[in-house]
Amino acid sequence: MLPQIKSLIEGENDLIANLANVSAALKETFGFFWVGFYLVKGEELVLGPFQGPIACIRIRKGRGVCGAAWAKAETLVVPDVDAFPGHIACSSLSRSEIVVPLIRENGEVWGVLDIDSENLNTFDETDARFLGEICSWL
């Protein structure tokens, strides 16, 4: 999967095109419920390119899994979203989640990759490692 994604974005400097292709590649390859990006705009994350059902449009810093990953600037693996304090339920079908921050070289978070699964315990540290690698290329 990594070589495929690398070849999709190599040489392409349009951010939206790259985010769209990465979300599509991850969704098609793994069949996740929802895969997409939220981009930092002021004090909110705003919905960016994604694959899956309709999503929440704006998320405040620190709120839900995405907002917490942004605030902490770290990947969050949530085995059961119902057990996560303050989880934002864009869909009641989402059961587990991983959120990987997109971080500039200066440490600033400029967005997050959010992936939801309809099953509990879908994601682990291996996913965090490889998704983090993909996000570093963006």
Side-chain angles (χ1 to χ4, degrees):
M1 181 77 211
L2 292 178
Q4 177 191 2
I5 289 180
K6 194 166 211 168
S7 71
L8 278 172
I9 63 177
E10 238 174 18
E12 179 52 63
N13 63 5
D14 187 89
L15 177 64
I16 299 304
N18 286 335
L19 298 180
N21 268 338
V22 168
S23 61
L26 291 170
K27 174 108 168 76
E28 289 298 310
T29 300
F30 298 105
F32 296 127
F33 177 67
W34 196 91
V35 179
F37 293 91
Y38 283 91
L39 305 176
V40 173
K41 301 212 178 185
E43 291 302 310
E44 295 179 308
L45 290 169
V46 179
L47 182 64
F50 73 94
Q51 297 283 313
I54 293 170
C56 299
I57 297 173
R58 295 179 182 273
I59 299 172
R60 290 196 157 282
K61 192 170 193 175
R63 290 210 51 234
V65 182
C66 289
W70 173 23
K72 294 177 180 185
E74 65 184 43
T75 297
L76 295 180
V77 176
V78 181
D80 180 354
V81 296
D82 292 332
F84 188 88
H87 175 254
I88 301 169
C90 296
S91 171
S92 61
L93 298 177
S94 176
R95 302 298 313 275
S96 62
E97 185 171 3
I98 186 169
V99 179
V100 182
L102 303 164
I103 303 174
R104 290 192 171 94
E105 288 180 14
N106 67 4
E108 177 188 10
V109 176
W110 59 272
V112 299
L113 167 61
D114 179 21
I115 304 177
D116 292 15
S117 171
E118 292 174 291
N119 302 307
L120 294 170
N121 299 308
T122 299
F123 308 103
D124 60 22
E125 291 309 310
T126 300
D127 298 305
R129 188 175 100 223
F130 288 113
L131 291 169
E133 186 173 342
I134 291 168
C135 287
S136 74
W137 300 336
L138 297 168

